[in-house]
């Protein structure tokens, strides 16, 4: 079956696309769809074809809509055939393999069909009034409200087998995922949820939010990125570094340090495997790992990874490499390659000065994007929620901040989208090795509103030996500290290696206990 999430024309084409590609959407809306509720003759004909197919097969036509068109093409004139052909080609070529956001479109579709249903009834009334047929006028008038209610009502009965059929058998897969063991560690990321990265100032929250945007787009989602701190050119610069893995700003010696996965047995010279890359070398002094500068001879080894979990004990090491700065040509080429994979214009950005945008401003921007470009986001990234403008009428700051987070949760549910943002940790969080929910700043009600909170930890910040500090090894430890849906294990973390000089927040990762 074809799956669609983006339409470039009217609400009618959005509805028709949904009933072509999404059986669940068609099952839910079939009772409300009548060909006469659509404006154009072409749309009325398409709806009648699809309803007839659904009546016989109990599924949406999907790719078979092309065969239906060929069989019934004689009902259309030349211009109508051309219009239908262009529309169907758009679906099959541009949107194949992408999910249709039925939960968001459904209420819009019902509202549109309800208005058109009343408009149609009014036309029937006027016709019979002109004819002077009082009995038919009464019949239409008295039955109109009940008929339309039955067609468009949101009420459902648990005895209705069609409700069961509309969701049974759906694949319970995450809407997006992350690479490496981070993807294994993270819970299922689902539509209609509000997620947040938690960290003290300068911990890389904006880099993490861009990583969400990157992986969401890579998985085929429509993404919007609201920046409440950076200008559009700053967002674009960081984005180009992320997708190219090259820095825009030049370095004097062009040298970069890149953390890599290694094995503890390799570093302690306790490995007995002949394929070990650094036999005879030990990078530990007593129980402390020494600097990579002191051991240029050491070579990281992951030979046993995935072969023998008892032999492979993951840790990290550092390698040095020389990279030229990102050129304009490379930036353009990399963007084109990314677009070839995910589709052009998959990510949209908009920026606001700090504390100038309200949640309603964000909603208005999303509505404009949908109205003018029919772009419906699946992933909404906000960098970041704590600096949204607050409603001063709500009293103290805690309540104002909490109100913004509640509105973001509503945004996720109404739009059936993933909403992800960041929360600033409180003052004491900057001096902690592990963050928890008590480190969420301002209103604690945020914890009860957010569906998943992921702490960005960096341990041993206060060690006199800088080589015992995560930051100097370009290491962060992601830990789930709150999750509304699903289970998580306190203390289980994902160690993530990064190089922020090139906007690479995730180079590699492994799961570890702390």
């Amino acid at each position: 079956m074809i799956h669609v999430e983006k339409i470039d024309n009217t609400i009618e084409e959005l509805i028709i696309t949904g009933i072509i590609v999404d059986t669940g959407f068609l099952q839910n809306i079939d009772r409300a769809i009548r060909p006469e509720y659509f404006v154009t003759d072409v749309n009325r004909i398409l709806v009648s074809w699809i309803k007839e197919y659904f009546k016989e097969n109990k599924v949406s036509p999907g790719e078979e809509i092309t065969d239906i068109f060929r069989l019934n093409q004689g009902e259309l004139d030349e211009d109508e055939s051309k219009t239908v052909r262009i529309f169907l080609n758009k679906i099959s070529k541009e949107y194949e393999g992408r999910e249709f956001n039925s939960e968001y479109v459904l209420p819009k579709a019902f509202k549109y069909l309800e208005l058109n249903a009343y408009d149609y009834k009014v036309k029937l009334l006027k016709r019979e009034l002109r004819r002077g047929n009082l009995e038919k006028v009464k019949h239409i008038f008295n039955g109109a409200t009940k008929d339309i209610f039955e067609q468009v009502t949101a009420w459902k009965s648990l005895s209705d087998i069609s409700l069961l059929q509309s969701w049974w058998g759906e694949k319970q897969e995450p809407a997006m995922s992350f690479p490496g063991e981070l993807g294994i560690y993270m819970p299922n990321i689902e539509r209609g949820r509000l997620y947040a990265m938690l960290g003290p100032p300068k911990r890389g929250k904006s880099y993490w939010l861009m990583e969400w945007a990157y992986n969401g787009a890579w998985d085929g989602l429509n993404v919007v990125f609201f920046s409440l701190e950076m200008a559009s050119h700053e967002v674009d610069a960081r984005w180009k570094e992320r997708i190219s893995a090259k820095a825009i700003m030049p370095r004097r010696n062009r040298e970069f340090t890149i953390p890599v996965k290694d094995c503890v047995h390799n570093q302690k010279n306790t490995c007995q495997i002949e394929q070990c890359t650094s036999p005879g070398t030990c990078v530990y002094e007593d129980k402390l790992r020494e600097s990579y500068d002191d051991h240029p001879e050491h070579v990281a080894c992951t030979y046993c990874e995935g072969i023998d979990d008892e032999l492979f004990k993951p840790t990290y090491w550092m390698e040095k490499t020389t990279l030229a700065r990102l050129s304009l040509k490379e930036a353009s080429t990399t963007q084109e390659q990314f677009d070839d994979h995910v589709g052009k214009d998959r990510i949209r950005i908009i920026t606001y000065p700090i504390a100038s945008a309200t949640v309603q401003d964000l909603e208005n921007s999303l509505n404009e994007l949908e109205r003018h470009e029919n772009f419906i986001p699946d992933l909404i990234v906000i960098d970041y929620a704590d600096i949204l403008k607050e409603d001063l009428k709500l009293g103290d700051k805690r309540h104002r901040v909490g109100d913004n987070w509640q509105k973001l949760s509503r945004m996720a549910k109404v739009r059936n989208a993933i909403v992800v943002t960041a929360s600033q940790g409180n003052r004491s969080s900057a001096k902690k090795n592990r963050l928890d929910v008590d480190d969420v700043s301002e209103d604690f009600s945020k914890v009860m509103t957010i569906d998943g909170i992921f702490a960005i930890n960096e341990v041993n910040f206060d060690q006199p030996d800088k080589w015992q500090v995560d930051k100097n090894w370009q290491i962060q430890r992601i830990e789930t500290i709150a999750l509304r849906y699903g289970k998580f294990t306190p203390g289980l973390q994902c160690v993530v290696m990064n190089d922020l000089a090139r906007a690479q927040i995730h180079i590699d990762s492994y799961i570890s206990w702390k």
Side-chain angles (χ1 to χ4, degrees), residues 31-47:
R31 57 189 162 85
I33 287 182
R34 302 286 188 276
E36 56 267 25
Y37 296 167
F38 289 77
V39 175
T40 69
D41 291 337
V42 170
N43 287 348
R44 294 189 193 108
I45 292 171
L46 278 171
V47 168

Side-chain angles (χ1 to χ4, degrees), residues 273 275 302-312:
I273 304 298
Q275 290 85 357
T302 58
Y303 176 81
C304 297
E305 184 179 17
I307 298 176
D308 192 326
D309 292 337
E310 293 295 324
L311 292 177
F312 184 71

Side-chain angles (χ1 to χ4, degrees), residues 220-245:
L221 303 184
N222 278 348
V223 180
V224 294
F225 191 99
F226 290 100
S227 177
L228 310 181
E229 288 186 303
M230 296 185 287
S232 57
H233 70 276
E234 293 172 315
V235 176
D236 191 39
R238 185 170 291 184
W239 172 256
K240 294 302 188 289
E241 289 183 329
R242 169 60 187 89
I243 63 175
S244 67

